[in-house]
Amino acid sequence: MSVVREESPLALTRRARRMYRTLHQRYPYAHCELDFDNPLQLLVATVLSAQTTDVTVNKVTPALFARWPTAADLAGADRAEMEEVLRPTGFFRAKTNSVLKLAAVLVDQHDGEVPGRLQDLVKLPGVGRKTANVVLGNAFGVPGITVDTHFGRLARRMGWTDEEDPVKVEHAVGELVPRKDWTMLSHVLIFHGRRTCHARRPACGACPVAQWCPSHGIGETDPDKAAQLLKYELAPGAQPTKGEA
């Protein structure tokens, strides 16, 4: 749903930054929810996260990287053995193929190391701008906006852009928020999308930015009923997540 209201560019920028600051206050602990120890692990985990959950990927990657810790190890892995490891992630044959190809190119063209530049990352097999920005922002400290389904949905719902194409969304939102905040903005919006602003039934009555959101009212507006829709660490009775308390 796209809801862009009539407002000047300056007003839109001020509103977007106000919403970001408020959401950051709700999720000060927002972070990449894929577990990783180095750029290679994050790159592979992000590729594996397609059409499955981060929770599932995090259950699989410890065994994957214990068996094949380097790009060279991954490139030389037995296909059938890797397929069994990746089976829980779904589409495991295609994902095995992707990991094997990706690792081979890293070995052949980058000495087994993950490059730290966007223009190099997007040339890798199966790596688009979304994956590249995840790796840059979280493994290399290079600011980047990660436009996944949650980010795109929220950017349109909040009236920051009416663009549907992820690259256009990335550029439009990048004009509204300082570059230094791009990576945390990505985490915050993804957290909000997973926990409060759900695709089918957003918890509008429990949303901290409802007063500035042109889509307020498309979901449950009653505060008590909306609170019951909150997920993860925000759910009633849930234990605080690490770093929240």
Side-chain angles (χ1 to χ4, degrees), residues 26-88:
R26 167 167 281 200
Y27 311 104
Y29 46 84
H31 60 281
C32 176
E33 295 187 278
L34 290 168
D35 296 336
F36 68 97
D37 294 323
N38 55 56
L40 175 65
Q41 290 187 3
L42 180 57
L43 177 61
V44 172
T46 305
V47 170
L48 296 178
S49 69
Q51 296 177 294
T52 191
T53 66
D54 291 351
V55 172
T56 298
V57 174
N58 289 339
K59 291 178 180 178
V60 167
T61 50
L64 178 73
F65 297 128
R67 178 68 182 84
W68 302 289
T70 69
D73 294 328
L74 290 168
D78 177 78
R79 180 183 296 271
E81 187 179 352
M82 184 179 288
E83 284 181 355
E84 284 306 305
V85 173
L86 299 184
R87 184 181 290 272

Side-chain angles (χ1 to χ4, degrees), residues 2-227:
S2 177
V3 184
V4 176
R5 60 189 191 181
E6 292 294 329
E7 61 186 330
S8 68
L10 178 58
L12 171 58
T13 298
R14 287 176 172 171
R15 181 170 64 85
R17 293 186 181 189
R18 187 179 300 120
M19 295 176 81
Y20 164 61
R21 289 195 300 270
T22 302
L23 288 173
H24 193 187
Q25 289 171 358
R26 167 167 281 200
Y27 311 104
Y29 46 84
H31 60 281
C32 176
E33 295 187 278
L34 290 168
D35 296 336
F36 68 97
D37 294 323
N38 55 56
L40 175 65
Q41 290 187 3
L42 180 57
L43 177 61
V44 172
T46 305
V47 170
L48 296 178
S49 69
Q51 296 177 294
T52 191
T53 66
D54 291 351
V55 172
T56 298
V57 174
N58 289 339
K59 291 178 180 178
V60 167
T61 50
L64 178 73
F65 297 128
R67 178 68 182 84
W68 302 289
T70 69
D73 294 328
L74 290 168
D78 177 78
R79 180 183 296 271
E81 187 179 352
M82 184 179 288
E83 284 181 355
E84 284 306 305
V85 173
L86 299 184
R87 184 181 290 272
T89 68
F91 304 96
F92 60 93
R93 291 188 179 88
K95 289 182 179 180
T96 296
N97 194 48
S98 294
V99 172
L100 292 173
K101 286 183 176 179
L102 174 61
V105 172
L106 288 175
V107 171
D108 292 342
Q109 299 181 15
H110 299 282
D111 297 321
E113 299 295 323
V114 176
R117 300 191 308 169
L118 179 68
Q119 57 266 45
D120 295 326
L121 284 166
V122 296
K123 292 178 182 177
L124 298 173
V127 177
R129 288 184 68 93
K130 182 184 80 170
T131 297
N133 279 324
V134 169
V135 174
L136 288 173
N138 297 284
F140 291 103
V142 177
I145 293 177
T146 302
V147 183
D148 70 351
T149 55
H150 299 289
F151 191 102
R153 180 177 75 252
L154 267 63
R156 289 183 288 273
R157 273 186 181 171
M158 296 189 301
W160 292 3
T161 181
D162 59 1
E163 298 289 354
E164 295 283 344
D165 178 77
V167 176
K168 292 181 179 179
V169 172
E170 177 188 338
H171 291 154
V173 175
E175 292 293 320
L176 302 175
V177 178
R179 186 174 184 272
K180 64 181 178 61
D181 295 324
W182 285 356
T183 300
M184 181 53 76
L185 171 70
S186 301
H187 295 326
V188 164
L189 258 65
I190 291 169
F191 261 55
H192 192 54
R194 288 175 172 171
R195 290 155 174 77
T196 304
C197 193
H198 312 133
R200 295 185 178 179
R201 195 181 179 194
C204 292
C207 177
V209 296
Q211 62 180 308
W212 303 298
C213 181
S215 297
H216 176 64
I218 67 171
E220 179 58 64
T221 56
D222 179 86
D224 294 331
K225 293 180 179 178

